[in-house]
Amino acid sequence: MQQYQPAAIGFDLLRDLPVEPGGKELAILLRTSPNLIVSEIAGPDLSGQAVKPPSGIPTERVGAVDFVLDDDGALRRNLLGASYAKQFHFSFAIRLTEKYLKEKYLKDRPDLHLQNGTRDPAAMQIGETELTRVQPDTGGYINADARGNQILLNFRSGRTPFKVISISDIKAGKGADWIRDRIVLIGVTASSVKDREITGAVPLPNSNRGYINGVEVHAHMISQLLSTVLDDRPLLQSWSEAGEYLWIVIWGILGMSVGMVMRSPWRSTVVLGLLTGALLVSSYGLLLLGWWVPFVPVMLILALNGTGLVIGLFYRAEQILERQLVLEELFTEIHNRPLQTLKVLQRELPDHLVSDSSLPDSLKQVDEELRTVYNSARQDLVRQSNRLRLGSNRDLDLRSPLAQLLHDVYCTTMERDFPGFKTLKVKIVEFEPMDDRHLSLARKRGLCRFLEEALCNVGKYASTATRLEITCKQEDGRQVIRVVDNGVGVEQTKGQDSKSAGFGTQQAKNLAKQLKGKFRRFPKHPQGTVCELTWSATRVAYFSSLLRQITSVLSRRGSL
């Protein structure tokens, strides 16, 4: 191989004992080749003994091939040298790097020689490049074995970063241009020779995933050293312990501030995702610059702080939502019962002048209904209720099927003493099973109140109605609640918006929006009114409505 004029040769084969035939010739060649570095095991190997190089080879041409493995058995550090048996042994990689630089750059760069570090006298330095030592707490290490002189190993990328030539090709005269003025490593890559190390940093074929041959490890180590010295490739290093703690604290504060500033759980989730991406990009960018910064601890603290606050915001939003639902339920019950009775009295007083005997009874009824509303609201504020109060003597279990609940609401409401109910002659009722799997108790309560309100409007305003149609079922994949009468009714002003509409209309529109559905009230020709609410029963619609509902509540939190 010497005829191809390599700059340096690394002989990564242990030859403490001669192997015949050719053992004597090899020993002579190893002793007489000035550009050849021979390997040794300076520390105890698996047999409990060090492996010495062949005798007669100068110390400056001997390099240790010892590796320092992490607790998981993976190789992440480059051991440049260590003391064994009161003698310091330089590594195979540092010997070859020094030899190559001496052969190639001695005339132009006489400063490129191995010396003690400037900032850290215990470190190694080549030229102006100081090789930063690994400390017990460097990067992600905690109380690591940092004995000797170690640096973090930065592997070359790619599946085949180095040229590989077989002995038979060299004998055939191939690869001369690959060898001239280069560093050549002689070693074994056969799987039968158990000279392999574990690493996840190099992409390898499936059959060798996670393993790399020992001679290739030395190639990565030498390449890292040369690129650092000649090409200013940054060495992997870490911040001080105080700097790492500051890095973790800063990201933890960012995670907490997301929920405190945004206040919205959905916006906080989006910003938290952006922060996670920023953490990933910044950590990788710093790694490219040679800084190994804590990632997993920061990711955990960011996730815990941010997620905890987002969950807290969701919980707070749910509490606000429940409080608002109780207040809305309270006002709805007041609207549908005592206020409806008062409106009937107001309509009848001008025309019929309620007698002295009937007026006290009507007022007494209003008093009883107000007391019923008060007791119901007080119970709901104390505990989470799964029941719907209809009057003083009727409670509905909201866990019942929706069609059954709506039928009970219909039966109970039609018993009320409204003038529009007294003229009815035909009632067409159609209650069929409805898909309520994704409806919360609050939504089922709202649907029951919607039907009650629609029936109350018939009783109040459709005083000449003779026909009433109630439809509660599934039509064409959508759920529908429809109330149709043929009374005179009250014509809505064309283009009436939600601000000028009555409370019942506003509640119906809000309910339709929450369910991602549609509410309509329109005249029926030739006479009558149609009141209709439709919505989809899919899970997507349910979660979309829940999202809009929580966002709407949070946007109005200042008024609650």
Side-chain angles (χ1 to χ4, degrees):
M1 182 181 295
Q2 291 284 14
Q3 67 268 26
Y4 299 131
Q5 301 178 353
I9 301 174
F11 189 74
D12 186 24
L13 294 172
L14 297 175
R15 286 295 181 267
D16 55 327
L17 298 176
V19 178
E20 301 299 341
K24 294 181 180 180
E25 291 81 359
L26 177 61
I28 295 173
L29 179 64
L30 295 179
R31 286 195 298 268
T32 58
S33 299
N35 64 340
L36 190 145
I37 304 298
V38 180
S39 61
E40 68 167 346
I41 295 180
D45 63 354
L46 295 179
S47 64
Q49 297 178 352
V51 178
K52 299 297 182 180
S55 60
I57 299 178
T59 305
E60 62 270 15
R61 290 203 293 113
V62 177
V65 293
D66 300 66
F67 294 143
V68 178
L69 305 181
D70 290 343
D71 292 338
D72 60 354
L75 178 64
R76 299 184 180 91
R77 288 173 280 173
N78 184 351
L79 180 61
L80 302 180
S83 294
Y84 296 101
K86 299 181 180 181
Q87 181 181 356
F88 193 86
H89 298 258
F90 288 92
S91 72
F92 191 64
I94 200 72
R95 287 295 194 192
L96 280 166
T97 301
E98 187 181 22
K99 176 64 70 174
Y100 176 81
L101 293 175
K102 182 178 180 180
E103 293 291 331
K104 295 285 293 182
Y105 298 96
L106 180 61
K107 295 181 180 180
D108 299 330
R109 297 283 304 275
D111 61 309
L112 295 183
H113 61 274
L114 191 61
Q115 57 186 321
N116 291 333
T118 302
R119 296 188 303 265
D120 178 11
M124 295 185 188
Q125 182 171 326
I126 301 177
E128 298 180 356
T129 303
E130 184 170 320
L131 306 177
T132 306
R133 291 188 302 151
V134 172
Q135 302 298 329
D137 56 352
T138 294
Y141 289 110
I142 300 176
N143 297 325
D145 182 3
R147 290 176 298 174
N149 200 309
Q150 308 173 28
I151 64 172
L152 293 173
L153 179 56
N154 192 356
F155 289 88
R156 286 291 187 183
S157 60
R159 293 182 179 273
T160 55
F162 309 108
K163 299 291 185 180
V164 179
I165 307 175
S166 65
I167 294 295
S168 57
D169 288 339
I170 293 177
K171 290 181 178 179
K174 298 179 181 179
D177 294 336
W178 292 351
I179 296 176
R180 186 172 291 108
D181 294 330
R182 304 289 182 87
I183 297 177
V184 178
L185 299 183
I186 300 175
V188 179
T189 59
S191 58
S192 58
V193 179
K194 300 185 181 302
D195 184 17
R196 307 172 76 186
E197 302 298 335
I198 301 175
T199 177
V202 181
L204 300 169
N206 292 333
S207 59
N208 295 323
R209 187 173 298 277
Y211 289 91
I212 183 173
N213 294 306
V215 65
E216 294 178 273
V217 172
H218 294 299
H220 282 281
M221 292 177 172
I222 297 168
S223 177
Q224 178 189 12
L225 293 172
L226 290 177
S227 296
T228 300
V229 173
L230 300 177
D231 303 328
D232 295 327
R233 183 189 185 193
L235 281 172
L236 289 178
Q237 51 189 324
S238 66
W239 293 333
S240 64
E241 189 172 356
E244 291 180 345
Y245 277 121
L246 180 61
W247 170 260
I248 295 173
V249 169
I250 289 174
W251 283 99
I253 293 175
L254 285 176
M256 290 189 296
S257 62
V258 168
M260 298 173 63
V261 174
M262 302 305 296
R263 295 287 183 178
S264 168
W266 298 104
R267 291 179 181 177
S268 298
T269 302
V270 172
V271 174
L272 188 62
L274 293 176
L275 279 178
T276 303
L279 171 62
L280 181 62
V281 171
S282 59
S283 298
Y284 183 70
L286 288 171
L287 185 63
L288 293 179
L289 295 175
W291 292 103
W292 180 19
V293 298
F295 176 76
V296 174
V298 174
M299 189 67 189
L300 289 176
I301 197 70
L302 181 62
L304 289 176
N305 287 353
T307 305
L309 283 174
V310 169
I311 293 175
L313 286 172
F314 269 107
Y315 179 72
R316 177 172 174 78
E318 184 180 357
Q319 287 183 321
I320 296 175
L321 178 61
E322 290 178 355
R323 186 185 308 170
Q324 184 187 20
L325 290 176
V326 170
L327 295 175
E328 289 181 354
E329 172 65 17
L330 173 62
F331 193 73
T332 301
E333 197 163 349
I334 294 175
H335 174 267
N336 289 355
R337 294 196 169 277
L339 292 184
Q340 300 285 13
T341 304
L342 290 176
K343 286 185 179 181
V344 172
L345 288 176
Q346 292 172 357
R347 289 171 58 86
E348 291 181 348
L349 278 174
D351 299 327
H352 306 291
L353 296 177
V354 179
S355 63
D356 293 339
S357 59
S358 62
L359 183 58
D361 292 336
S362 298
L363 294 177
K364 182 178 180 181
Q365 180 183 355
V366 174
D367 180 74
E368 291 176 352
E369 291 178 345
L370 286 173
R371 289 180 180 273
T372 300
V373 171
Y374 170 77
N375 292 328
S376 176
R378 183 176 61 179
Q379 293 175 4
D380 287 342
L381 288 172
V382 173
R383 59 181 175 82
Q384 177 68 27
S385 176
N386 56 13
R387 307 193 68 80
L388 173 66
R389 179 68 58 86
L390 292 178
S392 57
N393 301 319
R394 188 68 186 271
D395 280 354
L396 301 183
D397 188 350
L398 292 174
R399 294 170 296 185
S400 302
L402 179 59
Q404 178 183 333
L405 289 172
L406 295 174
H407 184 269
D408 291 342
V409 170
Y410 161 76
C411 295
T412 303
T413 307
M414 293 304 296
E415 295 174 356
R416 300 180 65 176
D417 187 20
F418 285 143
F421 294 160
K422 297 177 182 179
T423 59
L424 292 176
K425 296 180 180 180
V426 178
K427 300 176 185 177
I428 302 177
V429 180
E430 192 174 8
F431 288 90
E432 295 182 2
M434 304 175 72
D435 189 354
D436 59 359
R437 292 173 296 173
H438 309 310
L439 287 177
S440 65
L441 297 183
R443 297 285 71 79
K444 293 172 77 173
R445 184 193 301 271
L447 292 171
C448 291
R449 289 302 187 190
F450 168 79
L451 179 59
E452 182 187 27
E453 165 73 9
L455 293 174
C456 286
N457 286 337
V458 174
K460 288 187 301 179
Y461 302 117
S463 56
T464 60
T466 60
R467 179 186 177 92
L468 179 65
E469 299 179 20
I470 311 295
T471 303
C472 298
K473 65 176 184 178
Q474 181 171 318
E475 292 182 351
D476 300 327
R478 296 183 67 81
Q479 314 300 308
V480 60
I481 299 177
R482 186 184 300 116
V483 177
V484 183
D485 67 81
N486 63 346
V488 177
V490 178
E491 295 293 335
Q492 287 186 307
T493 304
K494 186 175 182 180
Q496 185 181 35
D497 58 22
S498 59
K499 294 182 180 180
S500 60
F503 176 78
T505 301
Q506 292 183 25
Q507 289 292 90
K509 289 182 177 180
N510 289 337
L511 180 61
K513 186 177 180 181
Q514 293 163 7
L515 292 172
K516 202 178 181 181
K518 186 176 182 181
F519 164 71
R520 297 191 302 163
R521 182 185 286 121
F522 56 91
K524 175 181 177 295
H525 298 288
Q527 181 175 293
T529 303
V530 178
C531 183
E532 180 183 80
L533 176 65
T534 60
W535 75 95
S536 173
T538 62
R539 185 180 295 271
V540 174
Y542 166 71
F543 283 113
S544 298
S545 65
L546 181 61
L547 168 61
R548 289 198 306 273
Q549 185 179 11
I550 293 177
T551 304
S552 175
V553 169
L554 287 176
S555 65
R556 304 196 302 270
R557 65 188 184 278
S559 61
L560 293 179

